[in-house]
């Protein structure tokens, strides 16, 4: 799970927030915790993108205008049950490793769900809105039960009593030779006694169909590139653990793979730079538009984007069309 505000250098002191809180940044150059977001959109101060995370790279490839709304305009987005459940499950799986290996059991993991939900409500009070229309707590109870089921399914896929992660929720950042900064949060890093590195990411949804596996691995290859540039070590394995369907997707990268990802990201960043300077952020309608919080501002739905808050420069001659990057 990876949650970055490109262009924000210091956020709240938490790597989780520093790496990816696109929709809830505050009114100054430093993003704030979503809980403190009270200012109207007009008072936010826009800043040009300064780094790239897997989430924001995916946003731009999906729809350049969505990237603009999240990174430059920083429009607020309502919390969703699915995303919040993912955050809760990730917190439980991270905290479970605080216990001795022999105590990392499914019942113990389930017992962590209520406390982590309380903690999430304290740090992100806006998630309480999800169940504001549930006075009897029936929907909340069902939702928490679904989170417990996802946590339990993990034990059918991995044995935490046999794992001693080198890192959990690891914030990573690297600057490429080109000057592009890449950043993100890795759910888990395992290091074998022989020094081989495995990068693990938990997904609370279902595994994609085989024809979409490459797109799913983009985030992992991104992380592998960052680790390679930081540590001079190519991770031995990338592992996606899909709790929603009980599948594990693995991939063993080689330097040539990561070099291709780096070239792709450089081209993507160049497209983002041109769009930032020209103010030309074009919507790209897809089936995902139905879940977008920004339809009221999107021309595809009859909306009008907010006034562009950054200086606009004339487009470079032959710059070409913006945002034509496809999935990896």
């Amino acid at each position: 799970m990876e949650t970055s505000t490109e262009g924000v250098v210091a956020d709240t002191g938490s790597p989780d927030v520093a790496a990816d809180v696109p929709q809830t940044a505050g009114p100054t150059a430093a993003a704030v915790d979503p809980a403190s977001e009270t200012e109207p959109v007009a008072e936010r101060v826009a800043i040009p993108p300064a780094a790239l995370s897997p989430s924001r790279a995916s946003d731009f490839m999906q729809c350049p205008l969505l990237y603009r709304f999240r990174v430059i305009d920083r429009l607020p987005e309502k919390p969703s049950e699915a995303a919040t459940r993912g955050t809760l499950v990730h917190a439980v799986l991270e905290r479970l490793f605080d216990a001795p290996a022999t105590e990392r059991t499914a019942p113990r993991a389930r017992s962590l769900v209520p406390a982590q939900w309380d903690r999430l409500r304290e740090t992100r009070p806006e998630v309480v809105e999800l169940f504001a229309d549930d006075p009897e707590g029936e929907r909340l109870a069902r939702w928490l039960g679904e989170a417990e089921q996802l946590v339990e399914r993990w034990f059918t896929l991995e044995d935490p009593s046999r794992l001693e992660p080198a890192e959990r929720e690891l914030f990573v950042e690297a600057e490429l030779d080109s000057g592009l900064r890449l950043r993100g949060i890795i759910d888990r890093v395992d290091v074998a006694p022989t020094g081989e590195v495995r990068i693990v990411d938990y997904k609370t949804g279902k595994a994609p169909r085989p024809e979409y596996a490459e797109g799913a691995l983009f985030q992992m290859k991104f992380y592998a590139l960052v680790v390679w540039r930081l540590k001079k070590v190519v991770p031995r394995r990338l592992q996606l653990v899909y709790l929603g369907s009980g599948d594990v997707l693995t991939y063993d990268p080689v330097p040539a793979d990561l070099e291709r990802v780096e070239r792709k990201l450089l081209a993507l960043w160049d497209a983002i730079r041109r769009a930032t300077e020209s103010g030309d952020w074009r919507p790209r309608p897809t089936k995902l538009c139905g879940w977008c919080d920004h339809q009221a501002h999107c021309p595809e739905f009859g909306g009008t984007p907010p006034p562009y808050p950054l200086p606009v420069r004339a487009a470079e001659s032959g710059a070409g069309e913006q945002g034509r990057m496809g999935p990896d």
Side-chain angles (χ1 to χ4, degrees), residues 161-229:
S161 69
R162 299 171 62 89
L163 297 171
E164 291 298 339
E167 302 287 351
R168 290 173 276 156
E169 295 294 313
L170 175 65
F171 174 68
V172 291
E173 184 174 49
E175 184 171 319
L176 305 181
D177 292 340
S178 64
L180 170 59
R181 281 192 294 131
L182 304 178
R183 57 171 61 153
I185 295 177
I186 302 175
D187 287 347
R188 199 180 84 219
V189 178
D190 300 331
V191 179
T194 55
E196 295 175 314
V197 175
R198 177 172 64 181
I199 296 176
V200 180
D201 195 75
Y202 310 118
K203 300 295 185 185
T204 50
K206 297 181 179 180
R209 296 198 299 268
E211 60 266 34
Y212 298 111
E214 274 298 308
L217 284 169
F218 171 74
Q219 174 186 357
M220 303 302 285
K221 292 180 180 180
F222 184 110
Y223 292 148
L225 173 61
V226 175
V227 170
W228 185 32
R229 292 309 185 206

